[in-house]
Amino acid sequence: MRLTSWWWAEISRKLLHVSAGVIPLAYLVLDREVMLWLLWGAVVIAVAVEVLRHAVPAFAEWFRRVVGFMVRASEWGRICGATYVLVGALLTIWIFPKWVAIAVLLVLCVSDSAASLIGIRFGRSQFLGKSAAGSLAFFLTALAVLALIFRDALGIAFTGAIVATVAEALPSPRLERFELNDNLMIPLLTGAALWWLLIYTAPSDVAAALLSQ
């Protein structure tokens, strides 16, 4: 199949999305405080870029020439998804225990990209406004990621994958340039569910290992 320029742009966006997996992978070896400082810096830069591209026409034109091919048409009038990824990662690492944060950020990077690419290529029927094929791809990859990390609590991994899939499929509420983007909702809702399940349903030794910082 010959790939159109639109497909190349979508693949480029998702490769960028997957590359954000460096955040949870870095968290495997870096302290929480270091990760928070790094992400704070990244968020400040991202917010500055958002302000400049919406307020300064010359910067907006430069931005369009350099990375515009990776920006969806719907994102030109509001905040880019990449900015929400950074904000979501910052909040996730700040709020949740280390292994919960690593798990949900990996799900965000891997499963959201799989859902988009599979859904665009094979999606026909709908699930909560998204393609059923994409949602199935999201669920299966999320389950694989969570089962790898929560291998001693597979029921929790399964439930977390369901929560993440629903969070991805739900429409994003919007207020002018802002929205409860799935790059925020997936890690925060899934992280909250996993945290609660580990505290109240997991064996004490499993909970202690996975809830440690």
Side-chain angles (χ1 to χ4, degrees):
M1 179 185 70
R2 183 176 177 273
L3 295 181
T4 65
S5 58
W6 183 88
W7 252 99
W8 281 119
E10 187 64 26
I11 290 172
S12 298
R13 280 192 289 268
K14 293 311 168 185
L15 286 175
L16 179 64
H17 202 71
V18 170
S19 70
V22 72
I23 296 172
L25 293 179
Y27 197 18
L28 288 171
V29 296
L30 297 177
D31 292 337
R32 179 174 178 270
E33 290 74 17
V34 173
M35 290 299 301
L36 290 175
W37 277 111
L38 291 173
L39 286 168
W40 265 116
V43 168
V44 167
I45 293 171
V47 170
V49 169
E50 293 289 351
V51 171
L52 288 170
R53 78 180 184 92
H54 285 105
V56 181
F59 185 87
E61 181 58 31
W62 174 84
F63 184 88
R64 186 181 293 270
R65 288 199 310 270
V66 175
V67 297
F69 71 98
M70 290 193 294
V71 179
R72 289 195 177 102
S74 60
E75 291 180 326
W76 286 112
R78 62 178 194 265
I79 296 173
C80 287
T83 301
Y84 284 110
V85 169
L86 293 172
V87 173
L90 175 63
L91 292 174
T92 298
I93 290 175
W94 180 50
I95 294 171
F96 300 120
K98 183 170 186 173
W99 283 107
V100 172
I102 289 171
V104 297
L105 290 175
L106 284 173
V107 167
L108 173 64
C109 296
V110 174
S111 302
D112 196 37
S113 298
S116 180
L117 294 176
I118 296 298
I120 290 168
R121 180 64 183 88
F122 300 105
R124 296 291 188 274
S125 57
Q126 298 290 303
F127 171 71
L128 296 178
K130 300 290 182 73
S131 77
S135 293
L136 179 61
F138 187 102
F139 173 75
L140 292 176
T141 53
L143 181 60
V145 169
L146 294 176
L148 180 65
I149 295 174
F150 298 100
R151 55 187 176 274
D152 294 323
L154 293 179
I156 291 175
F158 183 83
T159 305
I162 292 175
V163 172
T165 303
V166 173
E168 190 276 336
L170 288 172
S172 301
R174 297 175 185 172
L175 178 63
E176 296 182 353
R177 295 187 191 277
F178 304 95
E179 65 177 318
L180 289 177
N181 188 274
D182 59 0
N183 294 318
L184 286 175
M185 301 310 293
I186 291 170
L188 294 180
L189 291 179
T190 310
L194 290 172
W195 198 7
W196 189 92
L197 289 167
L198 285 169
I199 291 173
Y200 293 105
T201 70
S204 58
D205 58 330
V206 173
L210 292 172
L211 293 175
S212 63
Q213 289 287 3

